[in-house]
Amino acid sequence: MTDLTRIDGAELAGLLASGEVSSVEATQAHLDRIAAVDGEIHAFLHVNAGALDEARRIDERRAAGEQLHELAGAPVAIKDVLCTIGMPSTSGSRILEGWVPPYDATPVARLKAAGLVALGKTNMDEFAMGSSTEHSAYGPTRNPWDRERIPGGSGGGSAAAVAAFEAPFALGSDTGGSIRQPAAVTGSVGVKPTYGGVSRYGAIALASSLDQVGPVSRTVLDSALIHDVIGGHDPHDSTSLQREWPSFAAAAREGAAAGSLQGLKVGVIRELDSEGIAPDVHARFQEAVRLIEGAGGEVVEVSVPSIEYAVAAYYLILPAEASSNLARFDSVRFGLRVERPGQTVEDVMAASREAGFGAEVKRRIILGTYALSAGYYDAYYGSAQQVRTLIQRDFDAAFAQVDLLVSPAAPTTAFRFGEKVGDPLAMYANDITTIPANLAGIPGMALPMGLGDDGLPVGLQLLAPLFEDARLYRAGATIEALLAEQWGGILAHQAPQLTEVAR
Ligand code: GLN
């Protein structure tokens, strides 16, 4: 029988829909895979003890002849930043250790309503601050391609789970690249939707003006299928867009069938194709650009000059918003409480936050509080907001010339544990390729584009104008199909290294 963990989500969903495979079988196969490899990978912080019961209920409904969603019965992994009824939601932090929310985040609720089965909660940098999962309070996740290397971050757990066949689909959140960068370094696909395209209700807030929930998977179509389920207006999120979205799965299927990019004007972002990009990543990127041209895409170089200031602006705006969002962890209403008899409420709050937050979280709270303080507000936070406007304008100008922008999704392949964790600025600088899209609110996708000199995955980033997420799926699926043809063996699900993990 087919190994149900090795096939893509769409294929698995097809087997479930036709009744060839039950949800219990599909779920059990993935739970077995988690049991076999997650001791090594540590993609999961929590495995859902109720998963098989949920699967059984889907099987019963199907057997009763109920018309179910096309993904019903398929398993999915959920980043721990998302609130889940009945499962702890820690956001990778000690301050929320063991906290079980009383409600589901909207993206989770929508997956459940469609009949998907949550396998568990995936590891992440604490409060989604980081690019390696080394800032998780519960220990890092390992990259399935090389266990001495980081799986990216903050959503390294979701990307590693998908790359190691522990789940066909996962949810992530992307504030500055936390879906796209982990996808890039694990040979997976990840999408940050247009800001407001997916509800943030129940996503533990990092920086509210930047956060977006999105899919991670091994194929473009699988991400599109999940995006179709989780997206769309939600009255619980005031920044949720009220608009009709096209079917992203239909766009992906069209793109894969088209086999051509005829009529598509593609801009190479000059500022992301220069210094700071590793030579092997640059070489793969050049090959991808030639492939786009070969497929009929018209490629031009485009400048987004203010990208130069993106990292600096982001690392003022993000800490500012985070310092305000994280004020809710006051040890009074929920979460860790450290108290000794006779202490004042301030003492208890201070002791709880001191014990509950890790070093990176504290660093950003301090940075953000400083940037927002009287006398510095204009110089720091105010200037950063002005840069943000410039970046939005630069992207508008770029998209007046082209339909799609491309760049490497991450500057290097997966780096080694310890390489950047002691040097916050080096870790921040790593986000240069992904941060601009969050500042502009535009949608972005990372997809595999081959292997670096070290045999590790390299990611291609596609960026589209606001609301044009479907364009990413259409072009992404075309490029994915052409790349698979040209470089057979590049995708995560063909990685030889992964067989080894299974032993
Ligand atoms: N590396 C970025 C940061 O540390 C990404 C954050 C994110 O997207 N959640 O802020």
Side-chain angles (χ1 to χ4, degrees), residues 79 81 124-132 135 152-155 173-182 192 206-207 210-212 314-315 318-319 360 364 427-428 430-431 434-435 438:
K79 188 178 180 183
V81 73
M124 54 184 284
D125 286 293
E126 184 175 5
F127 288 111
M129 298 178 188
S131 313
S132 68
H135 295 310
S154 65
S173 66
D174 191 313
T175 305
S178 287
I179 290 176
R180 290 163 289 153
Q181 182 258 7
K192 181 201 94 70
L206 170 53
L210 301 162
D211 297 345
Q212 266 301 284
Y314 172 91
Y315 278 98
L318 179 136
E360 181 61 23
R364 295 201 196 188
M427 192 75 93
Y428 300 167
N430 188 69
D431 297 337
T434 47
I435 277 174
N438 300 82

Side-chain angles (χ1 to χ4, degrees), residues 165-222:
F165 307 104
E166 296 172 85
F169 306 108
L171 287 188
S173 66
D174 191 313
T175 305
S178 287
I179 290 176
R180 290 163 289 153
Q181 182 258 7
V185 301
T186 59
S188 311
V189 175
V191 175
K192 181 201 94 70
T194 291
Y195 182 80
V198 176
S199 173
R200 293 184 295 109
Y201 181 71
I204 297 169
L206 170 53
S208 308
S209 77
L210 301 162
D211 297 345
Q212 266 301 284
V213 174
V216 186
S217 61
R218 292 188 295 267
T219 70
V220 172
L221 174 59
D222 285 356

Side-chain angles (χ1 to χ4, degrees), residues 93 95 126-127 129 205-206 315-330 349-350 352-373 428:
S93 182
I95 211 157
E126 184 175 5
F127 288 111
M129 298 178 188
L206 170 53
Y315 278 98
L316 285 166
I317 294 170
L318 179 136
E321 293 188 20
S323 69
S324 159
N325 273 324
L326 269 55
R328 65 169 61 84
F329 301 103
D330 57 9
M349 283 182 189
S352 303
R353 287 167 69 86
E354 165 60 26
F357 288 141
E360 181 61 23
V361 173
K362 287 176 187 159
R363 174 156 37 237
R364 295 201 196 188
I365 290 173
I366 292 167
L367 277 171
T369 308
Y370 184 79
L372 288 175
S373 59
Y428 300 167

Side-chain angles (χ1 to χ4, degrees), residues 261 263-268 289 292-293 297-302 401-406 462 475 479:
L261 297 171
L264 195 76
K265 214 164 165 193
V266 178
V268 172
V289 168
I292 291 169
E293 272 176 328
E298 186 193 334
V299 179
V300 294
E301 195 183 73
V302 167
Q401 303 167 57
V402 297
D403 303 310
L404 210 63
L405 291 168
V406 291
L462 310 181
I479 295 169

Side-chain angles (χ1 to χ4, degrees), residues 127-150:
F127 288 111
M129 298 178 188
S131 313
S132 68
T133 75
E134 288 165 293
H135 295 310
S136 167
Y138 304 99
T141 297
R142 294 172 184 278
N143 191 319
W145 290 73
D146 178 345
R147 277 158 279 163
E148 302 305 311
R149 308 229 180 198
I150 59 103

